[in-house]
Amino acid sequence: ALLSESVFYIYRSYSLKTLKYWGKVLENMQMDESGFFVWSKTSIEERERLGVDPGKIDMAASNFAPIVKGTEFGIILTEEEEKLVRGSLRSRKDFDVAKIAQELGGGGHQRAAGFSVKLSLPEAEKKVLEIARKHIKLREGV
């Protein structure tokens, strides 16, 4: 009984705010034209409207970035301030997301990496997508 109670409190005890935030992450998710990855972004306004702490992003990245069938990885961008965007990358299999993060001034591991860029959300999105697409081409040897 003790184990199942622990599991219950860890995995089945999210606040409604957190779940609604995750819903926004999923609603904003897009498939890249390459079909290789998905990405999502949330703005300050969206999070403020939901009353969510930006710290909840890591859980969202782990839960949703690496689960889309047929993709290699996922990216979640969070606008933390007007000119500060944090990105979390999660690999599904063996794609090294740390290489993308490193190019954006961040770091991490092959399967989980992150970065912060001092750009607006649209600028950050454009830059991150360019770099991610470049790394796909490098890996494919295109």
Side-chain angles (χ1 to χ4, degrees), residues 44 75 85 88:
I44 296 167
I75 305 168
V85 175
S88 295

Side-chain angles (χ1 to χ4, degrees), residues 68-85:
V68 180
K69 187 177 178 182
T71 61
E72 293 284 329
F73 62 95
I75 305 168
I76 295 189
L77 302 174
T78 312
E79 183 185 31
E80 299 216 332
E81 294 167 22
E82 201 178 313
K83 288 271 190 181
L84 179 64
V85 175

Side-chain angles (χ1 to χ4, degrees), residues 94-115:
D94 57 354
F95 193 95
D96 189 351
V97 292
K99 288 180 177 169
I100 297 169
Q102 282 158 5
E103 192 165 337
L104 289 156
H109 307 283
Q110 181 177 328
R111 290 182 158 231
F115 59 87

